[in-house]
Amino acid sequence: MLTKEDNEFITQTGPGTPMGELWRRFWVPAVMAWEVPEPDCPPVRVRLLSEDLIAFRDTSGKVGMVANNCPHRGASLFFGRNEEEGLRCVYHGWKFDASGACIDMPNEPAESNFKSKVHIAAYPTVERGGIVWTYMGPKHLEPEMPDLPWIGLPEESRFVLKFHVECNYLQAMEGDIDNSHIPFAHGKLDPDTSLPFLERVQRTIFKAAGQREQSYYTKDLAPRGIIKETDYGLLLGWRRTVSDDSFNWHINHWFLPHSTVMGSPPPDTMLSNLRVPMDDTNSWQFRIRWNPYRPLDPDEVEEYRHAGTFFPELIPGTFKCVENQHNDYLIDREKQRTVSVTGIQSQTQQDRAVNEPYPTGPIYDRTKEHLGTSDTVIIGIRRKLIRAARELMLGHEPYAAHHGDIYNVRPVDLDLKREVPFEEGAREWVEAGQRK
Ligand code: FES
Ligand SMILES: [Fe+2]
């Protein structure tokens, strides 16, 4: 559990909060590159870290990320005209370029130099991995772009989706690193309803798109989570007993401050979730399927592209999901009785059903929880985030922000002899990206 104070400390990321300052030391994913597909296309609204911004692609193709409100009298630049190397406010015609400089002020006398004194808040952007990233911290501390293990892959080896999640970033992220929920929240059931629940779970085999069947998830329902501190965040080893002489290790990484990468047995497809606060009660999920060994299979991509078991259907023109907390994720009680633990269709919505709605609430009250053995990794990321934010308050900048190359470590899933430490046995796979 966390104290009320620590829970507020870790979940609040608006301007001026300690955790918000930590987030503002890193590049964060802002919009999909296709949301601003071409020069001079319509601007889009972006809510990030409790700030309202506008993204636009200028005539030269550069993406600007500026404050939503015009610095003149506050009109929204969402309604602006994006043309001739800048975004023009439609209230009185002031115009701003991607750097935030005011480049035209047509309602002021021609001899006025007022426009040279006015700027709009603007954040730098970088496009990598199909995503536009932005950096919202002090200009002189601009970090290195993290060399995430999927980010440099060719387009045919990755698939990126974005969702609006109606809860604080942390409780969504805690689900990503928690491997012990998989046979339950994402579990299937043997249809024989005369059997006890656990036996029905254990008779099934877990299978995700792009991955082979993985029997160990249901074989051992009480995995042990082991964490190793690293410069990029945490190395997470989930251990399950598969035979008398070996363990299965599901080896993931958690990257400061935003993402989890989850392993598969090579050459299967891997998964990453990036969680970014929109504000304290909403977050963005960027969900990436990626494969460092081979291009994604066309059948696999079909599964990612169409709503179904793995991804939910979006409400057209939004990143909100058709199955959501306001319709109980379209839970099907008959399916819950006969074929799946939750009765909820897609994996992302199974996660959200346990994270978002009342009484969990958009910011879970962690003074009320009871953490068990399997929650060691949850405690691990909380400690890491709180410590990094406290160190920053004392003037110690986060090491990871300025060492992008340390992020290129791969997750993996493999069996090892019981006596082999997982970080040793998996080293060859984990470091493979760094040797490419
Ligand atoms: S409010 Fe934008 S130009 Fe006046
Ligand atoms: Fe999950």
Side-chain angles (χ1 to χ4, degrees):
M1 68 173 252
L2 288 181
T3 62
K4 181 169 177 293
E5 293 71 30
D6 277 353
N7 202 34
E8 287 171 3
F9 184 92
I10 199 169
T11 53
Q12 294 176 357
T13 56
T17 61
M19 196 54 68
E21 284 304 301
L22 181 67
W23 276 86
R24 284 169 177 78
R25 291 299 191 276
F26 293 88
W27 288 97
V28 290
V31 293
M32 303 284 282
W34 59 256
E35 291 181 70
V36 280
E38 59 198 13
D40 296 335
C41 62
V44 295
R45 296 185 182 98
V46 184
R47 187 155 169 80
L48 270 185
L49 304 178
S50 302
E51 295 186 40
D52 286 307
L53 308 171
I54 295 291
F56 67 101
R57 194 181 290 276
D58 71 13
T59 312
S60 323
K62 189 159 16 107
V63 179
M65 189 72 65
V66 297
N68 186 317
N69 291 90
C70 176
H72 177 214
R73 288 196 2 237
S76 172
L77 287 168
F78 171 75
F79 300 103
R81 299 180 62 85
N82 182 19
E83 58 196 9
E84 297 167 338
E85 298 294 358
L87 188 58
R88 189 184 294 279
C89 177
V90 292
Y91 200 174
H92 310 93
W94 292 18
K95 185 174 180 182
F96 305 92
D97 69 12
S99 76
C102 184
I103 53 174
D104 200 11
M105 202 176 260
N107 71 334
E108 285 290 303
E111 65 278 14
S112 163
N113 70 348
F114 188 33
K115 78 167 190 255
S116 67
K117 299 185 176 133
V118 174
H119 278 77
I120 190 167
Y123 298 127
T125 62
V126 167
E127 285 183 65
R128 294 286 315 271
I131 293 172
V132 177
W133 303 67
T134 193
Y135 166 64
M136 298 166 68
K139 280 197 170 40
H140 67 288
L141 293 173
E142 188 173 309
E144 286 185 16
M145 192 62 202
D147 191 15
L148 297 166
W150 54 270
I151 209 164
L153 293 178
E155 218 176 319
E156 59 272 22
S157 297
R158 58 177 158 78
F159 192 87
V160 187
L161 283 166
K162 173 182 164 186
F163 306 107
H164 175 164
V165 180
E166 295 177 284
C167 69
N168 185 264
Y169 79 95
L170 184 64
Q171 64 209 54
M173 189 187 278
E174 286 176 351
D176 296 334
I177 61 162
D178 165 17
N179 196 268
S180 78
H181 79 284
I182 289 177
F184 299 104
H186 305 307
K188 295 201 212 77
L189 289 177
D190 186 283
D192 184 350
T193 55
S194 68
L195 295 171
F197 169 71
L198 289 181
E199 195 175 333
R200 293 178 68 196
V201 170
Q202 292 198 293
R203 283 183 173 216
T204 67
I205 292 178
F206 185 81
K207 163 105 176 65
Q211 297 177 351
R212 72 195 72 177
E213 291 183 333
Q214 292 161 22
S215 60
Y216 53 81
Y217 277 119
T218 48
K219 195 164 182 177
D220 181 350
L221 295 175
R224 170 121 187 263
I226 297 170
I227 51 178
K228 304 277 174 192
E229 291 256 354
T230 64
D231 287 334
Y232 56 74
L234 296 173
L235 168 66
L236 311 167
W238 283 96
R239 191 186 82 185
R240 286 183 172 84
T241 301
V242 292
S243 70
D244 290 343
D245 68 343
S246 62
F247 290 125
N248 171 262
W249 287 96
H250 190 83
I251 294 166
N252 298 348
H253 305 273
W254 175 73
F255 295 135
L256 261 171
H258 45 55
S259 57
T260 309
V261 285
M262 290 158 257
S264 306
D268 289 1
T269 296
M270 304 190 189
L271 171 63
S272 184
N273 277 328
L274 283 84
R275 307 282 182 173
V276 191
M278 294 169 71
D279 49 39
D280 295 345
T281 53
N282 293 274
S283 50
W284 293 116
Q285 175 182 8
F286 291 83
R287 188 167 169 95
I288 297 128
R289 301 307 304 246
W290 54 285
N291 197 314
Y293 309 110
R294 59 170 173 80
L296 300 178
D297 192 79
D299 294 343
E300 197 180 334
V301 173
E302 264 319 279
E303 287 200 64
Y304 302 150
R305 210 180 286 286
H306 298 292
T309 308
F310 301 103
F311 296 108
E313 187 180 346
L314 291 177
I315 297 169
T318 75
F319 293 101
K320 296 187 171 180
C321 303
V322 171
E323 307 157 287
N324 59 58
Q325 62 175 311
H326 311 290
N327 56 27
D328 295 324
Y329 307 89
L330 301 177
I331 185 170
D332 182 331
R333 296 289 186 187
E334 181 56 19
K335 284 193 174 150
Q336 187 176 32
R337 199 178 67 80
T338 54
V339 294
S340 81
V341 175
T342 62
I344 292 168
Q345 175 74 7
S346 64
Q347 286 182 0
T348 55
Q349 302 312 83
Q350 290 160 0
D351 283 326
R352 290 172 61 171
V354 293
N355 288 330
E356 288 178 334
Y358 182 84
T360 313
I363 305 178
Y364 178 54
D365 178 359
R366 293 179 175 79
T367 65
K368 295 194 169 133
E369 66 191 1
H370 298 81
L371 299 183
T373 313
S374 67
D375 298 308
T376 316
V377 299
I378 307 289
I379 296 166
I381 63 163
R382 293 177 187 174
R383 282 204 182 128
K384 192 93 181 169
L385 279 166
I386 289 175
R387 196 186 324 134
R390 288 209 174 115
E391 284 174 358
L392 183 57
M393 289 168 81
L394 297 172
H396 306 300
E397 294 294 324
Y399 176 87
H402 298 280
H403 296 82
D405 56 326
I406 62 178
Y407 285 84
N408 198 350
V409 284
R410 288 181 188 167
V412 70
D413 188 307
L414 76 180
D415 292 349
L416 294 171
K417 293 284 178 212
R418 287 188 176 219
E419 63 276 13
V420 179
F422 81 91
E423 65 276 24
E424 296 299 328
R427 189 183 304 278
E428 176 194 348
W429 296 101
V430 168
E431 294 178 357
Q434 294 173 334
R435 294 196 300 275
K436 72 179 189 280

